[in-house]
Amino acid sequence: MTELSGGKLTDRTKKSNLQTRYNSAISNLLLVIAFSVINIVLLLTDGSSYFLFSAFIPYFAVDYGMYFCGLYPEEYYADVPDMEFADKSFLAVTVVAAAVILLIYLLCWYLAKKKKIGAVIFALVFFLADTVAMLVLSGISSDSFVDILVHIWVIYYLIMAIVTYNRMKKAPDVSPETEMEEESTDAGGEFTGNRGILRMAEDVKCKIFLEAEYSGMHIVYRRVKRTNELVVNGGVYDEYVALAEFAHKLTADVNGHKVEASYDGGTCVRILVDSCEIAKKRRLF
């Protein structure tokens, strides 16, 4: 393993790690949006399933609309036999209200990707309000315990996104010119070092997505717990940390070669060296 000498290289590596951590943290907003939409669709279509990572208020609004429009089975109204039901347009209003709330979350995620930290703060406050509403309206019980834990999870990662953003702002910028100065060079001025090693790969239980050999390099694209790693010759060069994976690309510069491992967010993983695909595989899970 080539030693990482010089403060500038360390700064570049730290900033890259902070960026990865920030992106992973705000991706939880997408999970909230996606699972909230799924749960609302299941509710409207008489589905019996319910997925975690859902926002409470949008789901409650649609549930409220369905109840007062008399769309639940008769046993739901056993205690209120003379109840007068609202017009179906009331349900439409609650669905629109839920959609507006989820669009606000989506806008927050989009602005957060653009490094608008105010959007992350707003999303945090918005989700805190969602959590308070859940505790007030549903209470604390064995049925709601997991939902409460999931809400705490999302709040934690939104706070982590804010903390990570502040650390990124304080981290020194490293220009492309500075990066070139940091690379090891031989007498002819050609790159000979291994730039960007984060750490040596641990011999631990992992899931290997793809593995390849090329020009003396042993390349492994793997997942350790909730971290996807690009490992070359035993060194971890790049990583992607996420509970649920989305499309991403991991990169490394090794002995003058640009190595990439990517996941398209669907079913395909690839390894490329100098933009040439050397390995590809369908990924089912």
Side-chain angles (χ1 to χ4, degrees):
M1 174 179 175
T2 302
E3 292 295 331
L4 299 180
S5 60
K8 292 178 180 176
L9 181 58
T10 302
D11 288 340
R12 183 186 66 80
T13 303
K14 284 182 178 179
K15 195 153 191 175
S16 176
N17 290 344
L18 288 170
Q19 180 65 60
T20 300
R21 191 180 304 168
Y22 175 82
N23 290 339
S24 175
I26 64 173
S27 69
N28 283 277
L29 277 176
L30 275 184
L31 287 178
V32 169
I33 297 164
F35 285 115
S36 296
V37 170
I38 292 171
N39 284 335
I40 289 172
V41 170
L42 289 173
L43 181 64
L44 291 170
T45 56
D46 297 325
S48 57
S49 300
Y50 178 84
F51 293 90
L52 300 175
F53 271 96
S54 179
F56 173 79
I57 294 176
Y59 186 86
F60 178 81
V62 177
D63 178 44
Y64 187 85
M66 290 189 65
Y67 179 81
F68 281 97
C69 287
L71 298 178
Y72 283 126
E74 291 182 3
E75 55 266 25
Y76 278 63
Y77 309 98
D79 296 334
V80 281
D82 299 327
M83 180 175 178
E84 294 185 7
F85 298 118
D87 186 78
K88 298 297 188 294
S89 60
F90 178 69
L91 175 61
V93 171
T94 61
V95 171
V96 170
V100 169
I101 293 172
L102 294 178
L103 284 173
I104 291 173
Y105 279 120
L106 184 61
L107 179 61
C108 287
W109 171 80
Y110 175 78
L111 293 176
K113 280 194 66 179
K114 300 290 185 181
K115 302 296 189 301
K116 306 295 184 182
I117 195 60
V120 184
I121 296 171
F122 181 85
L124 173 60
V125 173
F126 212 44
F127 202 74
L128 281 169
D130 188 272
T131 305
V132 171
M134 179 181 67
L135 294 174
V136 171
L137 296 173
S138 294
I140 301 175
S141 65
S142 57
D143 292 335
S144 63
F145 183 69
V146 177
D147 266 328
I148 294 171
L149 288 180
V150 169
H151 272 65
I152 292 172
W153 172 283
V154 175
I155 290 168
Y156 166 78
Y157 272 98
L158 290 175
I159 293 173
M160 191 180 80
I162 296 169
V163 172
T164 303
Y165 174 84
N166 290 329
R167 289 178 180 172
M168 283 194 297
K169 292 290 287 183
K170 294 177 181 178
D173 289 327
V174 182
S175 66
E177 292 79 7
T178 303
E179 288 187 12
M180 290 299 294
E181 292 174 3
E182 292 168 355
E183 295 176 356
S184 302
T185 57
D186 60 14
E190 295 180 354
F191 174 64
T192 59
N194 297 341
R195 178 166 58 84
I197 295 178
L198 302 179
R199 61 184 177 276
M200 293 304 294
E202 297 180 7
D203 185 12
V204 294
K205 184 178 179 181
C206 65
K207 178 177 179 57
I208 296 178
F209 298 137
L210 207 53
E211 195 169 4
E213 298 281 345
Y214 184 87
S215 188
M217 294 182 292
H218 180 219
I219 307 166
V220 180
Y221 177 32
R222 68 179 193 171
R223 184 170 180 83
V224 179
K225 295 182 180 178
R226 59 188 183 91
T227 302
N228 289 11
E229 298 177 338
L230 172 57
V231 181
V232 183
N233 293 338
V236 179
Y237 281 79
D238 202 359
E239 63 183 13
Y240 171 79
V241 184
L243 178 66
E245 299 167 76
F246 297 93
H248 61 274
K249 179 171 68 175
L250 307 180
T251 62
D253 290 326
V254 186
N255 294 332
H257 296 288
K258 182 178 181 181
V259 183
E260 299 178 13
S262 64
Y263 170 52
D264 65 1
T267 60
C268 188
V269 290
R270 294 181 174 89
I271 290 179
L272 296 87
V273 177
D274 299 328
S275 301
C276 296
E277 185 179 281
I278 64 168
K280 179 181 177 180
K281 181 180 178 182
R282 287 182 63 83
R283 177 182 162 188
L284 300 179
F285 56 90

